[in-house]
Amino acid sequence: MVREKWSSRIGFLLAGIGSAVGLGNVWRFPYIVGQNGGGAFLIPYLISVFLFGLPLMLLEFSTGRLFKGSVVSSLKKIRKKFKWIGIAVVSVLTVVLSYYLVITGWILAFFTFTLLGRETSFESFAQTYFSPLFFVVVTIAASLIVMRGVRKGIEKTSKIMVPALGVLLAVMVIYSLSLPNAMDGITFYLTPDLSKLSDSSIWAAAFGQAFFSLSVGSGILLTYGSYLEEKISLVNSSMLITIFDLLVSFMSGLIVFSIASSFGFEVAAGPKLAFSTLPQVFDKVPYGFFLEGIFFLLLFFAALTSAISMLEIGVAVLIDETSLDRFKSTSLLSSIILVLGFPAALSYSGISLQFTGRPVLDLMDETFGSFGIPLTALLLSTSISWFLDNLVIAEEINKNAKWKIGKTVVFLTRYFIPIVLLYVLLTRLHFYLV
Ligand code: PHE
């Protein structure tokens, strides 16, 4: 069977941006900045994005395009045994996807409530028995998109949702900046306190956030690279995806910090921010209903386009490695995801499913999200940078590129990135054990 290809460069770019821009940008980035010293965080963050995130992205795109295969098929071509690394990468990501879809379901639920004009707090929603239903709905939606294929499914959806997300975000930025006292929040957000830079935990947070936000090291970009034409420059495209991802995080920060200082709430509130703090604010302001609708719709677009990218990597593996076609592969994988994610969905429902006293979703995130992803990223990147001919990768990266940075990228992915990933893993382990 002929491998599908992106129909155009812009289609590929929007799909790449769609994967990168997700909950990590709109929901996670602002509170991570808040918890890590405000403006001071932006410096290690920018360094992490350009020095570690971008090179890893290039490594994945180039490997995918060289081998024209899924993570498993590509790694297998480097060394037969590396097939197992590919399987580990896909398995971890599939578990992450299962609870990512639970959160995407919450967003859809809140959007629906806003449309119906109903005020609901997260606490009361999470106690209802029907809350897992939204998880099922978004899982089916994501699989229907992926079933339609690279062009008609992923690319087409991204072409609609990503630009729409940009417009909604711009509306929210303009509104938030016009609020009274917004500037105090912006000052905290943009003034770096350089003395904080000596705190190593800020650096670990920045590395972790950059990897997650750019979707690097999880095999997605490798899979997306396998659908790429030779004539497209990987360097230019990766730069654009990285810059847009940064821009969306930056704009989300502007929104959250202005609203926070105008209404006097704590940005470091953490995960609760999107589902309880902001809705409370929206309830108080004129046209709040409208703003809340915009906010949840943009969050939904961001989350869904990332979710379909996570689903595609597993589907690509099944298509390449088994005799199943796209329809059957997607159906099989989504059924597995429904089973895996259901306990997570039940943990925030009337049943409040817990394990060792913690909601199942939180435990899944702490193990698979915080450890699993950096660990498989370490395995994936080193098995490419140490075992595939470096000249071949550098050449693939430099093809049609204005800036020939292939060799630098290879150097970084060989020596620096493994150290950084190890550092992220160790700090998380320390945090977990202490
Ligand atoms: N980058 C996505 C976000 O910011 C999350 C993601 C991580 C998607 C890893 C795919 C792979 O939400």
Side-chain angles (χ1 to χ4, degrees):
M1 208 172 63
V2 191
R3 196 169 189 80
E4 247 195 293
K5 290 253 188 296
W6 303 108
S7 72
S8 61
R9 180 170 123 97
I10 184 82
F12 157 65
L13 285 175
L14 290 172
I17 296 171
S19 167
V21 171
L23 296 174
N25 305 62
V26 186
W27 172 59
R28 196 167 187 272
F29 179 79
Y31 80 79
I32 294 287
V33 177
Q35 285 171 345
N36 287 283
F41 182 80
L42 298 179
I43 297 170
Y45 188 65
L46 282 175
I47 295 178
S48 313
V49 163
F50 286 103
L51 230 51
F52 305 114
L54 181 66
L56 252 186
M57 182 181 285
L58 280 164
L59 186 76
E60 279 200 49
F61 278 150
S62 54
T63 311
R65 188 164 73 180
L66 267 173
F67 292 121
K68 312 221 165 8
S70 67
V71 232
V72 174
S73 341
S74 299
L75 289 181
K76 217 163 65 176
K77 287 186 190 140
I78 303 179
R79 291 276 190 286
K80 269 231 165 73
K81 277 195 218 133
F82 286 178
K83 160 177 142 189
W84 293 105
I85 296 183
I87 293 176
V89 170
V90 182
S91 312
V92 167
L93 199 68
T94 305
V95 178
V96 172
L97 173 60
S98 72
Y99 68 80
Y100 198 90
L101 283 168
V102 174
I103 304 175
T104 313
W106 297 346
I107 297 168
L108 180 66
F110 273 69
F111 178 66
T112 316
F113 294 150
T114 311
L115 284 190
L116 298 176
R118 292 219 350 233
E119 268 178 35
T120 313
S121 70
F122 181 67
E123 287 72 19
S124 62
F125 164 68
Q127 282 314 312
T128 60
Y129 286 92
F130 67 86
S131 62
L133 197 68
F134 289 91
F135 158 65
V136 177
V137 172
V138 291
T139 307
I140 294 174
S143 58
L144 287 176
I145 295 171
V146 170
M147 242 170 221
R148 305 205 63 204
V150 175
R151 283 189 187 191
K152 287 201 194 126
I154 302 175
E155 195 177 318
K156 211 166 157 196
T157 310
S158 309
K159 275 184 173 162
I160 300 168
M161 289 191 181
V162 173
L165 186 147
V167 174
L168 297 177
L169 202 63
V171 173
M172 286 294 290
V173 170
I174 295 171
Y175 164 79
S176 336
L177 289 181
S178 69
L179 287 170
N181 295 329
M183 282 310 138
D184 296 343
I186 300 299
T187 312
F188 171 71
Y189 179 39
L190 298 182
T191 319
D193 170 1
L194 297 180
S195 67
K196 295 228 167 91
L197 291 183
S198 55
D199 180 351
S200 66
S201 65
I202 290 197
W203 288 86
F207 296 144
Q209 174 65 18
F211 289 129
F212 184 75
S213 184
L214 291 172
S215 313
V216 293
S218 56
I220 290 177
L221 303 174
L222 190 152
T223 311
Y224 275 19
S226 74
Y227 306 132
L228 257 180
E229 301 274 9
E230 304 300 321
K231 60 174 194 269
I232 292 177
S233 154
L234 297 181
V235 178
N236 303 5
S237 309
S238 305
M239 282 278 193
L240 282 173
I241 295 175
T242 305
I243 290 172
F244 273 98
D245 186 72
L246 258 179
L247 209 64
V248 174
S249 294
F250 181 72
M251 287 166 83
S252 307
L254 288 178
I255 297 172
V256 171
F257 282 94
S258 321
I259 297 185
S261 77
S262 192
F263 291 89
F265 68 79
E266 194 55 56
V267 178
K272 276 199 324 214
L273 197 73
F275 297 106
S276 65
T277 321
L278 288 181
Q280 276 168 26
V281 168
F282 292 138
D283 285 344
K284 283 192 212 125
V285 299
Y287 307 110
F289 148 82
F290 192 60
L291 294 163
E292 189 164 357
I294 292 184
F295 178 72
F296 283 114
L297 189 62
L298 89 86
L299 210 53
F300 180 67
F301 286 167
L304 192 68
T305 45
S306 295
I308 57 178
S309 76
M310 294 196 224
L311 184 58
E312 174 64 18
I313 118 161
V315 168
V317 168
L318 289 175
I319 295 177
D320 285 359
E321 296 295 311
T322 67
S323 54
L324 300 179
D325 60 10
R326 180 170 279 276
F327 177 81
K328 288 190 185 134
S329 303
T330 317
S331 316
L332 175 67
L333 201 63
S334 348
S335 319
I336 296 176
I337 286 165
L338 282 175
V339 174
L340 286 174
F342 220 73
L346 287 181
S347 66
Y348 283 93
S349 76
I351 295 173
S352 298
L353 190 65
Q354 299 198 337
F355 188 71
T356 61
R358 310 278 315 278
V360 178
L361 188 145
D362 298 39
L363 286 176
M364 284 166 89
D365 184 42
E366 279 154 24
T367 34
F368 290 91
S370 302
F371 288 115
I373 290 203
L375 182 65
T376 46
L378 178 66
L379 294 173
L380 176 74
S381 59
T382 43
S383 59
I384 300 170
S385 61
W386 281 87
F387 295 91
L388 181 63
D389 186 341
N390 285 188
L391 277 179
V392 176
I393 310 177
E395 218 172 89
E396 186 66 33
I397 293 176
N398 287 342
K399 245 185 217 168
N400 298 320
K402 231 192 282 159
W403 303 291
K404 309 260 184 237
I405 55 172
K407 283 200 172 144
T408 319
V409 167
V410 170
F411 179 79
L412 286 169
T413 54
R414 225 174 134 94
Y415 300 102
F416 273 110
I417 290 174
I419 298 176
V420 172
L421 282 167
L422 265 178
Y423 177 65
V424 171
L425 276 168
L426 288 177
T427 45
R428 291 196 174 158
L429 196 65
H430 175 76
F431 182 72
Y432 205 55
L433 296 178
V434 174

